[in-house]
Amino acid sequence: MKILKPSEIAKAAALLQQGGLVAFPTETVYGLGASALDGNAVAKIYQAKGRPSFNPLIAHLANLEAVERIAHMPRKARDLAQAFWPGPLTLVLPKRGTDVSNLVTAGLDTIAVRVPDHPIALSLLAQVDVPLAAPSANLSGRVSPTEAAHVVTDLSNQIDAVLDGGATRIGLESTIVDCSKETPRLLRPGGLTLESIEDVIGALSFLKDSSMAPRSPGQLLSHYAPSALVRLEAKAPIRAEVMIGFGAIDGDLNLSPSGNLVEAAANLFGYLRQADEIALSNSTERIAIASIPNAGLGRAINDRLNRAAAPR
Ligand code: TXA
Ligand code: MG
């Protein structure tokens, strides 16, 4: 596997055009990209991640015009796209045409699309000139990568290259809104807050327990899991637990000493990986995490933490 510099985007584009797999940075997390038009390339994504094949992928595009070639855009979807793209928002829309491989949508008649807000991703998309199917570039069920080094740890033997763009700015996956039905529905909380979405299109419907959402099969309850067992809402570590603090509740690591949710989101997945390494090396195999307020980005952080702590 090659580690490519930002000056080597053309090499990454060429690998993708030849049906290769290339991980690239977005503003949320690193994605594992393949041409969405090339069924064989998309199949290699599922294989590399060890991901169950019923789990559909997000198609990444350079701009709204490119999205409209592969998806129909109801009015509220267009309003959201105009307000938040490029940005950490994925829209599930009725699929249009037959160019995109059925493996991307796992046979559904809807397609998940987004325009990422990252100069390397946008330049790569412009150069390959095809939609890129890209799930987070981690092994299935593991914490999403926020640095190129995380991609190397999980996938170095399985992929052709990673474009190294440094640490990702947001650190949490995109928010997913299903706009394929009359009332838009939140399928996954993420880097764009529910509050800012509702400011633009009004109230969303959402399922209380997203683990039950049949329309977003990636939302398996035990997901984003480190290897060590995770205990939430900890005030202090018990015995040799590795403690991840927040605000005034300190620990071995602190997601944000000042209690800033943006900073906490950016640190979350990297700290889960670090805490996991410490827990496994000192054989406590346990991580304790301070409580996080459940508003704004805190909703998405708690969604990921609840999955990390779910019974497995
Ligand atoms: O921030 C992100 O969204 C990152 C970066 C790389 O863009 N990508 C990402 O992809 O998180 P992934 O594959 O890990 O998550 C995609 C989610 C899954 O939960 C999947 O089930 C859902 O999107 N999804 C994809 N297509 C769908 C569809 N047609 N209907 C409902 N859910 C869909
Ligand atoms: Mg993922």
Side-chain angles (χ1 to χ4, degrees):
M1 185 202 67
K2 296 193 188 83
I3 299 179
L4 299 175
K5 297 192 284 280
S7 57
E8 297 176 297
I9 294 176
K11 281 189 194 162
L15 287 168
L16 288 164
Q17 278 158 347
Q18 292 153 22
L21 297 186
V22 177
F24 61 94
T26 77
E27 79 282 31
T28 59
V29 300
Y30 276 75
L32 177 55
S35 166
L37 311 186
D38 180 341
N40 286 322
V42 177
K44 287 195 283 182
I45 291 181
Y46 289 106
Q47 189 181 45
K49 285 187 57 107
R51 165 176 262 202
S53 59
F54 50 75
N55 199 351
L57 308 174
I58 298 173
H60 295 66
L61 298 107
N63 51 50
L64 183 57
E65 295 66 50
V67 170
E68 286 185 292
R69 278 179 229 129
I70 64 167
H72 296 281
M73 278 258 171
R75 193 179 59 79
K76 285 183 177 175
R78 187 175 305 274
D79 291 346
L80 289 176
Q82 275 160 357
F84 299 116
W85 281 350
L89 171 68
T90 293
L91 298 175
V92 172
L93 301 170
K95 189 178 173 186
R96 165 184 237 155
T98 54
D99 288 349
V100 170
S101 160
N102 281 322
L103 260 189
V104 173
T105 51
L108 299 173
D109 55 8
T110 55
I111 182 162
V113 289
R114 90 177 187 97
V115 178
D117 184 17
H118 193 291
I120 293 177
L122 288 173
S123 162
L124 180 66
L125 286 164
Q127 290 190 40
V128 289
D129 202 26
V130 293
L132 291 180
S136 51
N138 52 282
L139 288 172
S140 185
R142 304 301 302 276
V143 170
S144 292
T146 56
E147 295 174 24
H150 300 159
V151 179
V152 175
T153 303
D154 276 19
L155 298 172
S156 60
N157 296 323
Q158 328 265 3
I159 68 176
D160 296 293
V162 56
L163 262 169
D164 188 352
T168 60
R169 176 167 61 81
I170 294 178
L172 279 178
E173 300 87 347
S174 61
T175 302
I176 305 181
V177 178
D178 183 352
C179 290
S180 67
K181 294 282 174 303
E182 192 51 36
T183 308
R185 191 165 77 170
L186 180 73
L187 295 183
R188 177 176 77 182
L192 182 68
T193 64
L194 181 61
E195 291 86 344
S196 30
I197 293 171
E198 292 191 329
D199 279 349
V200 174
I201 57 165
L204 294 181
S205 71
F206 56 99
L207 296 173
K208 274 225 167 64
D209 179 359
S210 54
S211 67
M212 304 292 282
R215 311 217 34 212
S216 203
Q219 294 296 75
L220 302 173
L221 188 56
S222 171
H223 206 76
Y224 307 103
S227 302
L229 291 179
V230 174
R231 181 171 69 88
L232 302 181
E233 302 190 17
K235 301 222 159 52
I238 297 175
R239 287 183 290 277
E241 281 175 336
V242 180
M243 176 81 193
I244 300 181
F246 176 78
I249 299 188
D250 211 5
D252 303 287
L253 301 163
N254 192 325
L255 288 169
S256 170
S258 67
N260 179 326
L261 289 171
V262 173
E263 184 184 22
N267 285 330
L268 180 67
F269 290 139
Y271 283 10
L272 282 173
R273 280 181 185 256
Q274 277 183 45
D276 211 25
E277 277 167 30
I278 302 169
L280 295 181
S281 69
N282 69 12
S283 74
T284 56
E285 301 190 16
R286 281 172 191 276
I287 299 170
I289 306 180
S291 79
I292 308 288
N294 204 39
L297 277 182
R299 254 190 265 275
I301 295 173
N302 283 321
D303 173 81
R304 305 305 186 271
L305 289 178
N306 286 327
R307 287 169 206 286
R312 343 176 179 140

